[in-house]
Amino acid sequence: MSDLTSEVIEAKRAALALAALPSETKDRALEAMAAALESHKAGILEANAEDVRDSEGKIPPEMMRRLKTDAGKVDDMIASMKSVASLPDPVGETMDTVELDEGLTLYQIRCPIGLVGVIFEARPEVVPQIMSLCLKSGNAVVFKGGSEAKRSNRALFDILRDAAASEGVPKEAFVLMESREDVSEILKLDGVIDLLVPRGSYSFVKYIQDNTKIPVLGHSAGVCHVYIDGAAELQKAIDVTVDSKAQYPAVCNAAEQLLVDRKIAKFILPRVADALIAKGVEIRASPECMPHLLGLPVKEATEADKSAEYDDRIINVRIVDGLEDAIAQINTYGSHHTDCIVTEDRRAAERFIKGVDSADVMVNASTRFADGYRFGKGAEIGISTGKVHARGPMGMEGLCIYKYVVIGNGQKVADYTGPHAKKYLHRHIQKKLDLGE
């Protein structure tokens, strides 16, 4: 058995202890971790600067943007950690209570998944995000970050693990892998790791899904749309489109596709394009858009652009024949991640919400709001575009499952069978599990 496998098995054992920690201990640990990030900010930035220097010219520009960490990003990590500390503890929450019979009660109780494996690329902020969510939800975690961020990841991991341990959290609950060979090894540990969460490009997520028996919770490509409806207000449409594309283009919730209702294309297309170009965005447009974009530096789009995820300052623009055509194109060419409508028509908004099959649907709001921290989840374990267990930006609810607890007083199933069987009540009641009653 390798040293890594031994560490992972130890983390699995530690998960049981972590699941039983009181809320107060977990919250004190999170506050200590936030304070440690503040006091070690200079060291974190120095480690990241070394990673950036080593990666210059070796990784794509969008990956470099994710890798770079400044003081503002560290402040965001601290705020996120404090936000998780302020959230209610999900562990032990009573989700549902059913009175099966007098004195025989069934409780559905929220509990941790156990040991979570997180594999990610180029984003050092994932370490504090995941560690805080896993700690609060009672899960142990095994990390594997990209080699391009190895110093940043190690600095953050050591700072956070030591701070948590100072408040009584078992250090064994957190494991950081650092070699590429480690990934192949943990993909085989389906009897130990309960859930894998890959964070990175679509091809990266697909590779993980195709090479393990461990359940994988990930997202497909981030092909997000903004649809400007015929009833859109001009400035609102410009503001939402520009923010969705240009606020931070190298992430999966940035808009890649802009659809414009044919009825207003002549009027709105040149104004939206002007605003995007002013932010350094390259416009790739369908042939029927071109007459409305004369004089602007626009490239003609190809068929492949309809489903492209650029992760860069590029957007594909095309004209659609109204709301139903927009919905059909989003469901056909999109990735069921995040899609937006800009409209002042309430019925159009309702139809869009019902018709678009995506994890996140925005009405008159930027696609960039599709984020665990912005959704009030404290931080984000990842984004799921699937339809099993969790969907969309995942906070602690995505790290929890449930168990059933039946409290009785000597009841037997035999009494509920046969010609003189007792009847079940199956009555849902508002009652929390309290073993001290």
Side-chain angles (χ1 to χ4, degrees):
M1 183 184 299
S2 71
D3 290 343
L4 173 61
T5 298
S6 297
E7 281 190 77
V8 174
I9 291 171
E10 283 298 313
K12 180 75 167 182
R13 295 193 186 106
L16 299 174
L18 195 57
L21 283 181
S23 300
E24 295 78 10
T25 300
K26 293 188 285 188
D27 289 342
R28 283 197 309 270
L30 287 164
E31 291 292 345
M33 293 158 77
L37 288 178
E38 181 65 53
S39 62
H40 290 85
K41 185 182 292 186
I44 294 167
L45 296 178
E46 183 179 341
N48 183 254
E50 290 185 48
D51 285 335
V52 170
R53 280 195 296 271
D54 281 355
S55 298
E56 290 285 358
K58 299 176 184 177
I59 61 175
E62 64 271 17
M63 186 176 285
M64 179 61 79
R65 285 191 285 271
R66 294 170 186 158
L67 172 62
K68 287 182 178 178
T69 300
D70 56 20
K73 280 192 177 182
V74 178
D75 289 340
D76 288 343
M77 297 176 198
I78 294 167
S80 173
M81 194 150 286
K82 290 181 176 179
S83 178
V84 173
S86 71
L87 294 172
D89 189 345
V91 180
E93 175 191 349
T94 302
M95 301 170 65
D96 191 23
T97 306
V98 180
E99 192 175 19
L100 303 180
D101 197 0
E102 295 290 342
L104 185 64
T105 309
L106 169 68
Y107 299 89
Q108 186 181 20
I109 306 299
R110 202 179 297 276
C111 63
I113 287 175
L115 178 57
V116 179
V118 180
I119 308 173
F120 60 100
E121 295 176 314
R123 288 179 178 167
E125 68 267 25
V126 170
V127 174
Q129 286 176 0
I130 301 301
M131 196 176 285
S132 61
L133 288 172
C134 284
L135 172 56
K136 187 67 179 263
S137 59
N139 291 280
V141 59
V142 179
F143 290 101
K144 173 62 178 79
S147 59
E148 66 283 343
K150 61 183 178 183
R151 296 181 185 87
S152 308
N153 293 337
R154 173 51 70 180
L156 288 164
F157 179 84
D158 287 345
I159 290 164
L160 295 171
R161 185 184 60 177
D162 290 347
S166 72
E167 295 296 336
V169 175
K171 293 180 77 167
E172 297 80 8
F174 307 113
V175 176
L176 178 65
M177 302 175 293
E178 295 183 288
S179 75
R180 182 170 294 181
E181 293 73 23
D182 289 344
V183 175
S184 298
E185 187 168 345
I186 70 158
L187 292 181
K188 300 171 186 175
L189 298 179
D190 50 283
V192 184
I193 297 175
D194 297 295
L195 179 71
L196 277 178
V197 182
R199 292 184 58 164
S201 65
Y202 172 59
S203 59
F204 173 73
V205 173
K206 188 71 166 59
Y207 171 82
I208 299 299
Q209 291 171 329
D210 290 345
N211 287 276
T212 186
K213 295 180 181 178
I214 302 170
V216 177
L217 207 154
H219 65 82
S220 56
V223 185
C224 304
H225 295 71
V226 173
Y227 165 56
I228 301 177
D229 183 55
E233 191 273 315
L234 173 61
Q235 192 57 50
K236 192 178 295 183
I238 292 172
D239 290 345
V240 169
T241 303
V242 170
D243 191 83
S244 295
K245 175 71 262 184
Q247 193 272 332
Y248 189 12
V251 286
C252 60
N253 59 13
E256 310 287 25
Q257 308 289 323
L258 175 61
L259 309 180
V260 179
D261 190 327
R262 188 179 301 278
K263 291 184 294 187
I264 59 168
K266 181 179 180 180
F267 171 68
I268 207 165
L269 259 179
R271 292 165 174 82
V272 174
D274 263 337
L276 287 166
I277 291 167
K279 291 291 185 177
V281 177
E282 175 187 308
I283 308 288
R284 297 183 184 178
S286 63
E288 58 185 342
C289 293
M290 292 304 190
H292 309 307
L293 299 172
L294 295 175
L296 295 174
V298 176
K299 294 183 178 180
E300 186 167 323
T302 67
E303 184 68 20
D305 284 305
K306 290 183 178 180
S307 56
E309 181 183 25
Y310 303 110
D311 285 335
D312 204 349
R313 291 183 181 274
I314 305 170
I315 195 166
N316 180 48
V317 182
R318 57 191 190 272
I319 293 170
V320 294
D321 291 316
L323 177 63
E324 294 302 323
D325 188 23
I327 292 171
Q329 294 211 33
I330 289 169
N331 289 337
T332 300
Y333 297 107
S335 60
H336 312 291
H337 192 298
T338 302
D339 298 289
C340 163
I341 182 174
V342 184
T343 186
E344 300 302 308
D345 184 336
R346 182 180 61 83
R347 290 185 178 178
E350 289 177 353
R351 174 67 189 119
F352 190 85
I353 291 168
K354 292 177 181 178
V356 170
D357 182 24
S358 295
D360 308 291
V361 179
M362 308 293 178
V363 178
N364 297 329
S366 170
T367 60
R368 291 281 291 117
F369 281 108
D371 172 84
Y373 177 68
R374 298 186 183 105
F375 277 13
K377 298 174 183 292
E380 179 181 287
I381 181 73
I383 292 181
S384 171
T385 53
K387 297 183 180 181
V388 178
H389 172 54
R391 197 179 193 204
M394 292 164 43
M396 285 186 289
E397 80 290 343
L399 288 168
C400 289
I401 193 63
Y402 53 82
K403 64 176 66 173
Y404 290 105
V405 178
V406 176
I407 305 295
N409 190 29
Q411 287 89 344
K412 309 187 300 294
V413 168
D415 295 333
Y416 295 86
T417 59
H420 304 293
K422 295 178 69 175
K423 299 294 184 183
Y424 289 105
L425 296 177
H426 287 155
R427 182 166 57 202
H428 288 266
I429 59 175
Q430 295 293 320
K431 185 181 179 183
K432 293 183 179 180
L433 175 62
D434 183 0
L435 296 177
E437 292 179 338

